[in-house]
């Protein structure tokens, strides 16, 4: 599961502690069901900016790296504390572009994921923004990163939580009557045209990057879903087969 910055903060940029707790509670319960869960999280730069008293994300690379260095430690501390309420352990994994590009490093990452999950640990993944600059432009939106993590870990499903219900056929903020695509069996020009730009001043991703992530994952046979992060309980509904959000299926409609 991938959660974005806008799902972890209020509109004023301050941290939404209720949301942190709810995410950890739902993921812990899914682990109790016997599922293996990986959490790809944004938020290090936003947490750092909040801690440093900044009104918005820094715009320069050095500022982003500094905010990430401050925020990543606090972000993990919060996840550890909330997961521990439900007797669930966590581990931090920070990825860089070279892990995605070099097969042996990709294999090492896969082995680490497998070992942690076999121990009942929830891997918490982010891009290593503090030492590398390319991730800040390429995968630190964490949508594409989450797709690569799904591929590396050989996951069966990638769920990306967003600040809206799913992929709409038009911008719901400006188009009354816009509706959500529920079940998609491929990424068509219509789907691409429906994807918007970047989100809030605190986040970096938008529907466009989620579509790119879905293409990466589906290319490896991994189903995807985009759902609202307003209530993390949506994960229970998705995994129970309820019609929520937008689901990208690798099976053709009517297929087995």
């Amino acid at each position: 599961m991938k959660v974005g910055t806008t799902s972890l903060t209020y509109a004023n940029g301050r941290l939404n502690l209720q949301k942190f707790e709810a995410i950890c509670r739902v993921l812990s319960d899914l682990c109790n069901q016997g599922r293996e869960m990986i959490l790809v999280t944004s938020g290090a730069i936003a947490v750092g900016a909040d801690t440093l008293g900044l009104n918005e994300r820094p715009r320069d690379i050095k500022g982003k790296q500094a905010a990430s260095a401050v925020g990543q430690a606090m972000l993990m501390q919060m996840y550890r504390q909330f997961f521990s309420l439900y007797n669930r352990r966590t581990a931090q994994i920070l990825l860089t572009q070279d892990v995605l590009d070099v097969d042996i490093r990709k294999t090492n990452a896969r082995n680490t994921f497998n070992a942690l999950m076999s121990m009942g640990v929830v891997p918490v993944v982010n891009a290593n923004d503090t030492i590398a600059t390319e991730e800040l432009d390429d995968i630190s939106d964490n949508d594409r990163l989450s797709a690569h993590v799904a591929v590396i870990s050989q996951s069966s499903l990638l769920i990306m939580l967003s600040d809206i219900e799913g992929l709409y056929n038009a911008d719901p903020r400006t188009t009354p009557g816009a509706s959500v695509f529920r079940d998609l069996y491929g990424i068509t020009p219509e789907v691409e045209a429906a994807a918007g730009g970047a989100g809030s001043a605190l986040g970096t991703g938008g529907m466009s990057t989620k579509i790119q992530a879905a293409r990466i994952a589906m290319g490896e046979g991994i189903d995807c879903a985009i759902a609202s992060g307003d209530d993390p309980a949506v994960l229970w509904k998705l995994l129970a087969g309820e019609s929520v959000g937008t689901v990208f299926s690798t099976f053709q409609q009517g297929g087995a």
Side-chain angles (χ1 to χ4, degrees):
M1 188 201 81
K2 180 264 178 180
V3 61
T5 300
T6 53
S7 295
L8 297 172
T9 57
Y10 291 107
N12 63 5
R14 303 304 298 272
L15 301 180
N16 187 334
L17 299 181
Q18 292 184 78
K19 193 67 65 63
F20 271 95
E21 188 276 334
I23 288 170
C24 295
R25 173 166 46 87
V26 173
L27 290 180
S28 296
D29 185 66
L30 291 172
C31 288
N32 289 345
Q33 294 177 15
R35 301 180 187 273
E36 294 181 328
M37 306 300 299
I38 298 173
L39 173 61
V40 177
T41 181
S42 300
I45 295 177
V47 171
D50 179 58
T51 302
L52 294 170
L54 305 178
N55 293 326
E56 61 180 13
R57 290 167 57 96
R59 299 185 182 276
D60 62 300
I61 294 295
K62 291 181 180 179
K64 290 178 182 179
Q65 290 177 313
S68 178
V70 172
Q72 183 62 36
M74 295 192 64
L75 188 66
M76 281 305 303
Q77 181 180 15
M78 292 171 65
Y79 278 125
R80 287 194 184 100
Q81 289 178 339
F82 284 123
F83 270 113
S84 68
L85 295 175
Y86 304 99
N87 298 316
R88 186 61 52 180
R89 293 167 295 171
T90 61
Q92 176 180 257
I93 296 181
L94 298 177
L95 295 180
T96 51
Q97 186 67 44
D98 58 347
V99 175
L100 308 180
D101 296 337
V102 180
D103 287 342
I104 185 61
R105 293 179 179 177
K106 191 179 298 185
T107 299
N108 290 339
R110 178 179 296 118
N111 291 339
T112 299
F113 281 123
N114 290 338
L116 288 170
M117 289 186 291
S118 71
M119 299 173 185
V121 177
V122 177
V124 180
V125 186
N126 202 350
N128 194 346
D129 295 338
T130 61
I131 63 170
T133 58
E134 64 267 19
E135 284 76 29
L136 293 171
D137 298 320
D138 183 19
I139 59 175
S140 71
D141 59 69
N142 282 353
D143 290 326
R144 283 168 289 183
L145 175 62
S146 69
H148 288 297
V149 169
V151 172
I152 290 172
S153 60
Q154 299 176 322
S155 296
S156 58
L157 175 65
L158 167 63
I159 300 174
M160 293 175 280
L161 297 188
S162 177
D163 54 356
I164 58 177
E165 185 180 354
L167 176 64
Y168 283 79
N169 59 3
D171 189 338
R173 295 167 294 188
T174 59
T175 307
S179 60
V180 175
F181 291 105
R182 291 301 181 191
D183 297 295
L184 295 172
Y185 299 90
I187 299 175
T188 64
E190 179 188 10
V191 170
E192 292 183 323
S200 73
L202 287 169
T204 59
M207 278 298 158
S208 178
T209 55
K210 289 175 177 58
I211 296 302
Q212 295 173 35
R215 179 179 285 108
I216 292 169
M218 293 179 73
E220 298 294 330
I222 301 169
D223 292 340
C224 299
I226 301 172
S228 172
D230 286 346
D231 183 2
V234 72
L235 293 173
W236 283 317
K237 297 178 181 179
L238 272 169
L239 293 174
E242 295 185 29
S243 181
V244 292
T246 300
V247 176
F248 296 83
S249 177
T250 56
F251 293 120
Q252 293 299 315
Q253 189 169 15

